[in-house]
Amino acid sequence: MSVVREFMTTDCQCIREHQNLEEAARMMKDLDCGSLPICGDDGMLKGVITDRDIVVKCLAEGRDAKEMMAADLAQGKPHWIDADANIDEAIQMMERYQVRRLPVITGHKLVGIVSQGDIARNYTEQKVGEMVEHVSARKPMQMT
């Protein structure tokens, strides 16, 4: 049985909730990534911010990326997975919540991130195809 820690990227970095969106954008550029976990000063996961969030929820609304904080976009309960969870559980969560990346937590701390790409490099073509189709569907899947 494969677990999430076998697939995840371990060198992920957080944007702190009190840092602004310009800093988040700069981090994404420097790290060559499209999303960052948002962490509180306590190290706990508060949410995830994407490059699209910055464009749509800040810039397109005429707001200043230097004034808007990462915490402003950390709304709702973030979806995450335990590092020792079965990788199939991670795939099901990605499909259910239509997310391309899941923060990975151990002992209440962020230890990595697992993405569609991480899974694609290590899983069957058929399973990856199904996952991409479900994550990209217009309506969220109804899981029983």
Side-chain angles (χ1 to χ4, degrees), residues 6-143:
E6 297 170 8
F7 290 75
M8 71 184 192
T9 300
T10 57
D11 61 348
C12 71
Q13 293 184 26
C14 285
I15 184 83
R16 295 292 175 184
E17 62 187 335
H18 57 75
Q19 289 181 274
N20 68 42
L21 298 186
E22 183 179 63
E23 292 172 284
R26 192 171 293 114
M27 281 182 72
M28 288 181 198
K29 178 182 181 272
D30 293 345
L31 296 169
D32 191 28
C33 66
S35 71
L36 291 169
I38 302 169
C39 294
D41 291 329
D42 57 2
M44 304 289 270
L45 180 69
K46 304 295 182 186
V48 175
I49 186 172
T50 67
D51 48 6
R52 187 175 192 281
D53 290 333
I54 294 170
V55 171
V56 173
K57 296 176 182 175
C58 178
L59 301 177
E61 292 182 5
R63 297 186 67 184
D64 186 347
K66 292 179 185 176
E67 299 297 323
M68 192 171 187
M69 300 298 130
D72 297 332
L73 297 182
Q75 301 169 351
K77 182 181 175 198
H79 303 293
W80 57 271
I81 190 99
D82 188 272
D84 293 318
N86 184 294
I87 193 64
D88 290 328
E89 185 180 340
I91 292 170
Q92 289 171 356
M93 285 185 70
M94 293 168 112
E95 291 173 346
R96 181 181 315 126
Y97 299 114
Q98 292 187 300
V99 294
R100 290 171 172 78
R101 300 163 200 88
L102 278 176
V104 181
I105 306 289
T106 294
H108 303 290
K109 298 290 182 190
L110 181 74
V111 295
I113 196 157
V114 65
S115 69
Q116 281 183 333
D118 296 327
I119 294 169
R121 284 186 290 280
N122 298 288
Y123 227 72
T124 67
E125 252 183 69
Q126 179 180 352
K127 188 67 174 177
V128 171
E130 291 170 5
M131 176 184 61
V132 170
E133 180 181 342
H134 294 150
V135 168
S136 301
R138 288 190 184 259
K139 292 185 179 182
M141 291 183 54
Q142 298 299 317
M143 302 297 243

